[in-house]
Amino acid sequence: MIHCFTCHAPHSNGNFSLRVTAPQTLQNGVSHDIKKGNICVACHQARRNVDTYVDIGTVTLSEHWGPHVA
Ligand code: HEC
Ligand code: HEC
């Protein structure tokens, strides 16, 4: 279940600061920085680079493509 300690780590940090604040590097190499929202992007981002993964010419897709499947 997603709860307070999903995003905050009071026991290891000693306060309610966020677990993740650093900019997140996306699959296409772009550095994404929305400050305190970087915690969200740590989970909410594509796990595949669509620029190369979705290629109609040479279809290399798995039938399970999506964020949770290899
Ligand atoms: C999905 C991630 C997430 C969850 C779950 C979450 N928080 Fe937060 N929390 C944040 C973010 C992001 C901020 C910073 C928001 C801002 O300052 O704009 C924040 C800010 C805070 C702050 C202010 C910290 C400060 O230094 O100003 C407190 C206190 C806090 N949360 C407590 C809680 C508690 C208690 C829970 C559970 C009931 C909880 N949070 C659940 C993401 C989360
Ligand atoms: C630890 C990973 C994680 C983090 C960090 C996280 N999320 Fe999520 N989020 C999830 C998962 C997993 C779900 C799906 C939960 C479910 O369906 O029960 C979700 C669901 C959601 C939803 C859909 C809720 C719904 O009822 O459909 C929204 C909107 C969302 N997250 C926004 C955020 C925002 C904004 C932050 C940052 C403050 C954040 N998330 C941080 C993992 C995360």
Side-chain angles (χ1 to χ4, degrees):
M1 187 161 95
I2 293 175
H3 61 106
C4 315
F5 298 173
T6 304
C7 300
H8 302 280
H11 295 157
S12 50
N13 292 339
N15 56 36
F16 255 77
S17 61
L18 297 167
R19 287 179 181 273
V20 176
T21 53
Q24 299 295 297
T25 302
L26 306 182
Q27 292 294 318
N28 62 1
V30 170
S31 179
H32 190 71
D33 189 1
I34 53 171
K35 313 300 179 196
K36 290 176 179 172
N38 289 341
I39 180 85
C40 316
V41 183
C43 295
H44 292 283
Q45 62 167 286
R47 301 295 156 185
R48 292 282 177 271
N49 180 356
V50 293
D51 292 343
T52 54
Y53 193 62
V54 180
D55 184 342
I56 301 301
T58 56
V59 178
T60 55
L61 299 177
S62 149
E63 68 270 31
H64 302 298
W65 76 286
H68 300 127
V69 183

